[in-house]
Amino acid sequence: MGGGTVSRFGTAPVVVHDLAVLDNRIVGHAAPAGGPLPCGLRLEADGAIIAITRATGFSPDAAARGLRRGWCGVTLEGLDVAAALADSMQVYCVTSDRLLLETAVPAPSFVSDAPLTVEGLLDAMRREGCGITPASLLPFAQATLRRQGLHAMLDATYRTLLGRAADADVVAAWQADPPPEAAQAAIAMIAGSIEFRDRPGHMVPGPFHPQFAYDRGLIDD
Amino acid sequence: MEIGALIGEAWTGIPNVVAILAEAALHDPAIDWAFMIDTIMVPPPLLERMLADRSGAAAVAALPAQAWAGGGVVARAASVVFTHGKPQRGRFAREAIVLYDLSPLLTPQFHEAAGIRHFADHIRGDIETSDHIFCISRATAGDVAAYFGVPPDRLSLILPGVRFDPADLSAARLLPPVEPYVAIIGTLEPRKNGRLMLDHLVRDPDFAARYRLVFAGRDGWLNEKARLLDAAAAAGVATDRILFTGFLTEREKTALLMHAAFCVYPSFFEGYGLPVLEAAVLGRLTVCSNSSSLPEVAPATSLLFDPLDPDDFARALAEAEWRTAEAPLAPALCHLLEQAATADAARAYPPIARWAAAQ
């Protein structure tokens, strides 16, 4: 089938990858040589495209290997669909069409999921590219503080965790009397706030998430 | 190309159309486009950042400095396309404008006074000082010709399209089943006529038991959300059967449309009605008002009704219910990708490029 219908996808060629079947999905990481774009992967079976995704999640393995600070994790779903079509499946790089993995399709899980609520559907769609803990944002907050200053770091913390601009009175107070370890303090303040606790899903957007507002340059340092 | 519509933080509707035009122009090697917001030049790297962020926040931060620094000035000899209103008129050798609709003039009851005044103060001058006018639907072109006497040779049609991220289509396609719901897409404002859906519950209270009602869109104006909540209470609908999502990202909207039993678009007036096309690409039927441009958008998947006739609305809803019950499973990802490519938003750009290139 190839990637002819997947144009303008905004991805870079895969240079390093490590993929495996785990719990009826393909998981691992895929990293480019560099640059701001993530890698894109495509799952096929019997020539049909089953799934397309970007490697924008957090992978502890990739972090341990020093790849993209861990932000090149990938999960490919759809193995039950693949099982209906073929005995083997392939994973390709979307950008280069290079074959990255060919493996047997595991037996279908036959797990009948309970229907999602609409809120659950929206939450599932928001979660791609999110991290696990607010602390994972610290290197980006520190880089933003270093490169763009206190106001920019505070505003980015609000926008990333709360989806809105920083409170003007907080910005003024911090600029008048900056706390020590300001990046750490900003994340702790917002992550500990009632407003963050009340937000659906308590999401921590990673550097490829649309709500991520810190300096992304760190991903490529 | 003037792209002032992109100054907002979160893009929907017209900013989405302008973003696609700007993106196509930015990557068109045949034409040396420059971009401006109002009178301030937008450097290509800043535009690329805005397009990547799908937000004008970067421009808000950068443009004051750009203006103080001189910012560059578009040559008077240039051909300029104004993509949403004209902040300056008669300044350039050739000027064209993109017109979406004449709604503030033709249906003023759905707009706030300030918006009507602003539109009325500008539209005539904008049209008179434009060598060419691009309309986003035959309905808008017909209105412009009828009310402003613009001859056919000064009018062109540009067909808005849609742009789906393949990863969003894939992720939405692979979600587990979702509870039955109907999606009513659009900003919460009286022109969108969402009230009709709630009024229907008075005659068919079981509808809300069969489907949750999901109003997807940001709060608009004229207190429409409060009015809708009052109507729901009057119809005796349990509050948990109605959901107001607020603003949705493209990714969230894709999944919401794809998994809806069907969509409802009861608007009184639309320049085009992109949600109807988006639903069609995703294989969803839309119970769709037959007003203004809406019958043009996706006739094969639209169940049209008169938005002033509750009986006709009930008939269209009933037809949607039985057609949905007989519908096949969700389309395969390959099919969705092909459908999205066919209706790609870049199809609006070529007529504009041809006008800009012609001297």
Side-chain angles (χ1 to χ4, degrees):
Chain A
M1 172 64 69
T5 52
V6 189
S7 59
R8 290 189 293 270
F9 190 48
T11 52
V14 176
V15 171
V16 180
H17 69 278
D18 186 3
L19 303 166
V21 177
L22 183 68
D23 294 336
N24 213 40
R25 58 187 62 165
I26 295 171
V27 296
H29 60 262
L37 296 176
C39 295
L41 278 68
R42 185 175 77 245
L43 172 65
E44 293 189 12
D46 195 28
I49 300 176
I50 307 294
I52 299 169
T53 194
R54 294 186 183 85
T56 57
F58 184 77
S59 161
D61 286 349
R65 294 187 191 187
L67 292 170
R68 313 278 280 177
R69 296 186 183 267
W71 289 100
C72 54
V74 65
T75 301
L76 278 158
E77 308 271 3
L79 271 56
D80 283 355
V81 180
L85 296 176
D87 295 328
S88 69
M89 57 188 172
Q90 300 80 34
V91 177
Y92 294 92
C93 168
V94 166
T95 315
S96 69
D97 271 337
R98 181 162 73 93
L99 177 65
L100 305 176
L101 176 72
E102 177 151 27
T103 187
V105 185
S109 60
F110 294 117
V111 173
S112 179
D113 296 306
L116 288 174
T117 61
V118 177
E119 291 88 342
L121 170 145
L122 295 175
D123 190 55
M125 294 302 285
R126 286 174 186 139
R127 285 199 169 278
E128 185 176 280
C130 284
I132 301 162
T133 65
S136 62
L137 298 174
L138 184 57
F140 297 98
Q142 289 169 330
T144 305
L145 179 64
R146 199 165 53 246
R147 293 172 182 176
Q148 298 178 28
L150 184 65
H151 186 175
M153 185 277 293
L154 253 183
D155 196 57
T157 305
Y158 271 79
R159 288 180 186 280
T160 301
L161 290 174
L162 300 179
R164 66 175 178 87
D167 293 319
D169 56 337
V170 175
V171 173
W174 280 47
Q175 284 184 320
D177 184 16
E181 306 291 341
Q184 203 162 0
I187 291 171
M189 175 180 69
I190 301 300
S193 69
I194 293 170
E195 184 176 348
F196 179 71
R197 215 169 53 223
D198 287 348
R199 282 175 68 80
H202 317 107
M203 283 190 319
V204 180
F208 297 105
H209 193 281
Q211 201 173 300
F212 186 87
Y214 293 111
D215 187 329
R216 291 180 172 86
L218 192 68
I219 201 82
D220 195 31
D221 282 352
Chain B
M1 183 178 283
E2 201 282 328
I3 53 171
L6 300 185
I7 202 74
E9 280 216 12
W11 297 344
T12 59
I14 289 173
N16 275 340
V17 175
V18 173
I20 296 290
L21 293 176
E23 183 190 39
L26 185 66
H27 297 121
D28 181 353
I31 299 176
D32 183 21
W33 285 104
F35 301 90
M36 57 185 180
I37 289 179
D38 205 319
T39 56
I40 307 170
M41 295 290 282
V42 178
L46 175 58
L47 177 56
E48 285 174 2
R49 166 86 190 275
M50 294 160 65
L51 293 170
D53 293 347
R54 298 194 61 76
S55 167
V60 173
L63 286 184
Q66 177 77 2
W68 280 110
V73 176
V74 176
R76 284 180 179 273
S79 298
V80 174
V81 175
F82 294 88
T83 57
H84 188 213
K86 296 178 76 170
Q88 45 190 329
R89 296 184 191 136
R91 177 182 171 83
F92 302 104
R94 296 168 75 230
E95 296 182 2
I97 187 170
V98 178
L99 274 187
Y100 299 87
D101 62 69
L102 303 182
S103 168
L105 296 182
L106 302 183
T107 54
Q109 67 272 31
F110 302 132
H111 295 267
E112 290 185 317
I116 297 167
R117 270 199 303 275
H118 179 83
F119 191 84
D121 284 349
H122 289 78
I123 186 66
R124 186 170 162 196
D126 285 359
I127 289 174
E128 285 178 350
T129 57
S130 294
D131 301 281
H132 204 79
I133 298 158
F134 295 101
C135 298
I136 63 164
S137 63
R138 284 190 290 278
T140 295
D143 289 341
V144 171
Y147 291 101
F148 291 95
V150 176
D153 63 331
R154 283 180 58 210
L155 286 173
S156 295
L157 196 62
I158 58 171
L159 208 52
V162 293
R163 175 69 56 82
F164 289 102
D165 185 320
D168 294 350
L169 291 173
S170 174
R173 177 70 184 76
L174 293 170
L175 285 174
V178 185
E179 64 177 327
Y181 66 94
V182 295
I184 304 108
I185 308 287
T187 306
L188 300 181
E189 54 169 304
R191 179 168 58 93
K192 300 293 185 182
N193 196 19
R195 169 69 184 263
L196 185 66
M197 185 74 248
L198 295 169
D199 287 345
H200 176 75
L201 299 181
V202 175
R203 62 191 292 164
D204 182 6
D206 284 348
F207 189 90
R210 297 193 296 278
Y211 305 99
R212 278 182 89 186
L213 305 182
V214 181
F215 288 86
R218 72 175 77 200
D219 280 353
W221 45 90
L222 299 177
N223 298 317
E224 180 67 352
K225 184 173 177 181
R227 252 190 286 271
L228 291 173
L229 284 169
D230 289 346
V237 179
T239 53
D240 66 349
R241 300 303 294 166
I242 299 179
L243 178 65
F244 293 95
T245 66
F247 172 77
L248 294 176
T249 63
E250 293 298 308
R251 181 174 173 82
E252 292 156 5
K253 187 175 67 174
T254 297
L256 190 76
L257 288 174
M258 188 187 290
H259 287 271
F262 54 90
C263 301
V264 178
Y265 206 60
S267 180
F268 285 117
F269 197 102
E270 291 295 328
Y272 190 72
L274 273 177
V276 182
L277 182 60
E278 291 169 331
V281 167
L282 298 172
R284 298 292 91 187
L285 288 173
T286 298
V287 174
C288 181
S289 161
N290 67 4
S291 76
S292 54
S293 67
L294 290 169
E296 299 174 38
V297 178
T301 56
S302 296
L303 301 171
L304 298 173
F305 70 94
D306 178 350
L308 296 171
D309 182 349
D311 291 335
D312 201 30
F313 181 54
R315 174 203 54 76
L317 283 177
E319 185 176 346
E321 285 201 65
W322 70 254
R323 282 181 59 174
T324 301
E326 293 184 348
L329 296 173
L333 181 57
C334 303
H335 180 75
L336 290 171
L337 292 168
E338 284 162 9
Q339 289 292 106
T342 303
D344 189 84
R347 67 187 184 176
Y349 175 70
I352 290 175
R354 281 195 294 275
W355 177 85
Q359 294 293 335

